Amino acid sequence: MKHTPRPGIYRVRHLASGRSLLGGSVDAPAYLNRVRFELQLGTHRTPALQRDWTQDGPDAFTFEVLDDLKPDLAGRVSPDDLKELLALWQEKLNRSPQQTY
């Protein structure tokens, strides 16, 4: 079965603190799997996120795709469209520096 990428906006949220990692990817579910795998290995590149994971464990987090971006007819997604959608979500969630990893 062929994997079909799902472009969109993802969020990893630490439930206790409300901090979250928000981003955009040409394959958001695959990126979330990568983040989860890196956290399980103890190798995630965001030290505060890794600390929270190590301290509180996987049940203290949610992993979600917040929004999808439709590819064009050729199956491509514009990086500018992805950045714009991410900016909209940052605004929608009123993200302050204290809520961000």
Side-chain angles (χ1 to χ4, degrees):
M1 179 192 287
K2 183 181 175 194
H3 172 75
T4 303
R6 183 177 162 201
I9 304 303
Y10 62 82
R11 177 171 64 172
V12 177
R13 188 165 54 104
H14 182 235
L15 299 172
S17 68
R19 287 190 299 269
S20 62
L21 177 68
L22 183 69
S25 173
V26 294
D27 194 344
Y31 192 84
L32 286 173
N33 285 338
R34 175 183 169 179
V35 169
R36 185 180 285 114
F37 182 70
E38 289 174 349
L39 288 168
Q40 289 169 345
L41 287 177
T43 60
H44 197 273
R45 60 189 133 337
T46 306
L49 176 59
Q50 185 65 61
R51 262 192 313 275
D52 286 345
W53 177 274
T54 301
Q55 178 180 324
D56 297 336
D59 291 340
F61 289 84
T62 59
F63 291 76
E64 57 191 331
V65 176
L66 297 174
D67 206 347
D68 293 310
L69 191 60
K70 262 203 184 328
D72 64 17
L73 294 175
R76 295 181 302 244
V77 172
S78 162
D80 290 337
D81 289 347
L82 202 52
K83 285 179 190 175
E84 187 176 320
L85 187 58
L86 177 57
L88 289 172
W89 272 98
Q90 289 169 327
E91 184 179 322
K92 180 176 183 174
L93 297 173
N94 292 320
R95 294 179 38 102
S96 72
Q98 294 79 22
Q99 299 170 313
T100 306
Y101 280 111

